[in-house]
């Protein structure tokens, strides 16, 4: 049950962020307030590559744990989770940042930033589930590892 709750909570978090991104695109189309950023292609490319790699690394790390539940050590001691508590969210932020750089859309940026903060409500639930699932081991992890770099 806890794995389902964890996955459902994360899915809701990412859905909020997706909806905010779509709303940002919609309002950007209506209003169209943009800025020009020097070297935006190269800079956005860096954001896209790093964000994508981080998401793939995080998902493979957590998937490996869920496929091997007999492992004693929790997945949050492996992969990118050793350095930050929510690497997938950072990857998504980098992808959205890359789009913001390419498009130069300030409205898209502002709305997706709001979506990021709203999605953190679900991340707090996710952390509470992990704390219950891992009998306080996650609390110790929280004190040592930042949420996002």
């Amino acid at each position: 049950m806890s794995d389902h709750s964890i996955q459902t909570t994360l899915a809701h978090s990412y859905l909020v962020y997706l909806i905010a991104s779509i709303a940002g695109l919609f309002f950007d189309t209506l209003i169209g307030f943009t800025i020009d950023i020097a070297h935006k292609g190269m800079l956005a490319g860096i954001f896209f590559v790093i964000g994508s790699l981080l998401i793939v690394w995080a998902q493979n790390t957590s998937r490996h744990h869920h496929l091997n539940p007999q492992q004693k050590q929790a997945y949050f001691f492996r992969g990118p989770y050793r350095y930050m508590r929510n690497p997938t969210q950072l990857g998504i932020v980098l992808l959205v940042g890359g789009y913001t750089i390419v498009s130069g859309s300030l409205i898209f940026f502002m709305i997706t930033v709001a979506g990021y903060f709203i999605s953190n409500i679900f991340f707090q639930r996710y952390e509470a589930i992990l704390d219950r699932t891992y009998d306080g081991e996650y609390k110790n992890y929280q004190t040592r590892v930042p949420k996002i770099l």
Side-chain angles (χ1 to χ4, degrees), residues 115-133:
Y116 168 79
F117 286 111
I118 293 168
S119 73
N120 277 316
I121 295 167
F122 293 100
F123 186 71
Q124 291 170 356
R125 291 180 189 166
Y126 161 77
E127 290 196 309
I129 293 167
L130 286 176
D131 189 42
R132 285 191 307 272
T133 302

Side-chain angles (χ1 to χ4, degrees), residues 25-41:
L25 290 172
F26 174 75
F27 287 111
D28 179 52
T29 303
L30 287 178
I31 300 169
F33 185 64
T34 61
I35 60 170
D36 192 29
I37 300 170
H39 308 292
K40 65 182 175 183

